[in-house]
Amino acid sequence: MLIYLRIIKESFNFAINALTNNKLRTFLSLLGVTIGIFSIIAVLAAVDSLEKEVKGSLSTLDSSTIILTRFSFGPTEIPQWKRQQFPDVSYQEYQYLKRNLPETKAVTYTINVPSKPISFGGKQAQSVQISPLGSEYYDIENLSLISGRFFNESEAVSGSPVLVMGYEIAENLFSNPESALNKEVRLYGRKFTVIGILEKEGTSMFGPSKDGSVFIPVNVARRIYGDNNRGTFPQIIIKPEEDVDNEAYLAMLTQKMRLYRGLKPEETDNFFINQLKGFTDFIDNITGQLNLIGLVISGFSLLVGGFGIANIMFVSVKERTNLIGIQKSLGAKNKFILLQFLFEAVILAIIGGLVGLVFVYLTTLIASAATDDFTFILSAYNAILGISISGAIGLIAGIIPALSASKLDPVEAIRTGM
């Protein structure tokens, strides 16, 4: 065992000496591997950052959450002219499902309404996103309040003039966001009592942040906009119980909606059941394809780097033919010569990979500093992957030159190298 460790140590020293004695050649060989590793890891880091940002924006909602509406969130075979004739989901359907949908944790009804200004005293917040909701939305989405509470079932049904305010709106209207609690603000020309303040959320990739939103009972908005306004795009949001059979639950929901709407067996569904799980699976599929495409394209850069290392190693073997002959004549084994050149190729490739990783890391720092809404990350997995790929490229590129060096006849090598 000790003799093998000694061989490895001596081979490593020979490789380091060879690399330091040929600095220009080493630099040119490093350049190809550096560009290749930079390309691959930069693509993987960018895709990972995008995936993290997307899933982070969706993290407040469980992947089992269902959104029932007349729109499809994904591709569909139903033609557009037919989809345009689908009726909106109604408040009565929401009430029906709430009473008759077993294995359900929470159901809420929401509509989309235009942004409106909110004022308090002499201050006004413009373009505030208004979110009319039922009380159970609090159980569906992971909302965090710094003070106060969310409106209850009684307030939601009666359409009480209460609201839950986003952190940024509270900060704009009041010196201290928490001081907004129990204050009366003006919205839609009437007074609303602030009963809760949301924690600061930050930016979001999907629509406006909750920091610039307020939540009001949905029946307040229904009285203002009516139930026949196609521009409000009503939705029923459903969260099933945990560990429920997803396929059976979706089938049950479909059947209850068809029954309520009186659809005949031969008629297609005139509604869409959109589940966030399908959307996250779609995101995983897209990021997987992006990773694959990035690896293929970047692989060509790495291939060039591998050929560069192989070429340099063949040159190194030819230059040191005389030295190889002397080493073998003094008793050096074939495996010692083999390991010597293999170490040189692998070390060269790993150094190139490390330089490439440094460039990726610096790029992520610069890109993250330049964009406030997006954070680029270089994961430990990608860093280890980059080093592993570098070592593998060095091993593959160096194996043939190392074998040719180890098989040289000592006498012939000395005579040829003189």
Side-chain angles (χ1 to χ4, degrees), residues 14 64 74-75 94 99 120 122 127 133 161 257 283 321 335 363 374 384 413:
F14 267 106
S64 64
Y94 151 70
R99 292 191 305 268
F120 175 78
S127 301
L133 298 159
M257 280 298 295
I283 294 296
T321 299
K335 58 188 172 185
T363 302
F374 195 84
I384 294 170

Side-chain angles (χ1 to χ4, degrees), residues 60-359:
T60 55
L61 288 172
D62 190 277
S63 62
S64 64
T65 301
I66 296 166
I67 300 177
L68 182 63
T69 180
R70 64 182 173 94
F71 297 101
S72 173
F73 290 0
T76 176
E77 297 179 356
I78 301 175
Q80 184 177 0
W81 66 267
K82 193 169 186 178
R83 297 198 305 269
Q84 289 176 342
Q85 297 176 0
F86 286 0
D88 280 317
V89 293
S90 66
Y91 188 78
Q92 289 71 31
E93 288 172 328
Y94 151 70
Q95 291 178 310
Y96 167 75
L97 292 176
K98 189 174 181 179
R99 292 191 305 268
N100 297 284
L101 200 59
E103 298 183 292
T104 301
K105 184 175 182 179
V107 185
T108 193
Y109 184 77
T110 179
I111 60 176
N112 293 277
V113 298
S115 300
K116 292 290 180 181
I118 294 182
S119 61
F120 175 78
K123 295 182 179 179
Q124 188 175 72
Q126 298 290 339
S127 301
V128 177
Q129 177 62 43
I130 312 299
S131 299
L133 298 159
S135 61
E136 292 186 16
Y137 186 78
Y138 185 80
D139 299 317
I140 293 175
E141 185 161 358
N142 186 23
L143 295 178
S144 297
L145 301 173
I146 58 172
S147 61
R149 60 178 178 83
F150 205 74
F151 42 84
N152 56 38
E153 179 71 9
S154 174
E155 291 167 330
V157 172
S158 64
S160 300
V162 295
L163 60 80
V164 176
M165 186 174 286
Y167 188 91
E168 185 180 311
I169 305 301
E171 196 172 39
N172 290 341
L173 295 179
F174 304 90
S175 56
N176 176 14
E178 293 190 39
S179 68
L181 197 64
N182 298 321
K183 296 292 195 306
E184 288 188 339
V185 297
R186 293 196 71 84
L187 172 66
Y188 293 119
R190 62 188 73 179
K191 292 181 179 179
F192 282 77
T193 302
V194 180
I195 61 171
I197 310 296
L198 293 173
E199 276 189 2
K200 189 175 180 63
E201 180 187 56
T203 57
S204 173
M205 289 189 66
F206 294 93
S209 165
K210 296 183 186 66
D211 293 340
S213 302
V214 296
F215 298 94
I216 64 174
V218 69
N219 282 347
V220 174
R222 286 180 62 224
R223 283 200 293 264
I224 296 171
Y225 292 94
D227 283 333
N228 298 316
N229 189 336
R230 296 276 285 183
T232 57
F233 311 117
Q235 301 172 6
I236 299 174
I237 306 175
I238 305 166
K239 184 173 183 179
E241 293 282 1
E242 294 181 8
D243 302 323
V244 70
D245 186 328
N246 191 62
E247 294 299 323
Y249 188 88
L250 294 178
M252 176 181 64
L253 175 58
T254 301
Q255 185 60 32
K256 288 191 177 295
M257 280 298 295
R258 289 181 61 87
L259 180 65
Y260 188 88
R261 292 192 170 185
L263 295 177
K264 298 177 181 178
E266 66 274 10
E267 292 180 309
T268 59
D269 297 340
N270 57 0
F271 55 87
F272 287 103
I273 297 175
N274 303 285
Q275 192 165 36
L276 293 184
K277 182 180 183 300
F279 185 68
T280 54
D281 290 344
F282 175 74
I283 294 296
D284 289 338
N285 183 44
I286 292 296
T287 54
Q289 291 180 13
L290 288 175
N291 275 329
L292 180 61
I293 293 170
L295 286 172
V296 170
I297 295 174
S298 304
F300 287 107
S301 300
L302 201 58
L303 190 63
V304 173
F307 281 127
I309 291 176
N311 185 51
I312 293 300
M313 293 309 300
F314 276 117
V315 173
S316 182
V317 170
K318 188 169 182 62
E319 286 181 347
R320 287 149 58 187
T321 299
N322 185 53
L323 179 60
I324 294 169
I326 293 173
Q327 288 177 331
K328 297 192 79 171
S329 66
L330 293 175
K333 302 293 185 182
N334 287 352
K335 58 188 172 185
F336 174 77
I337 305 298
L338 178 70
L339 286 174
Q340 178 183 322
F341 284 93
L342 272 183
F343 267 114
E344 185 174 337
V346 171
I347 291 169
L348 188 65
I350 287 177
I351 293 173
L354 287 171
V355 175
L357 285 175
V358 170
F359 282 135

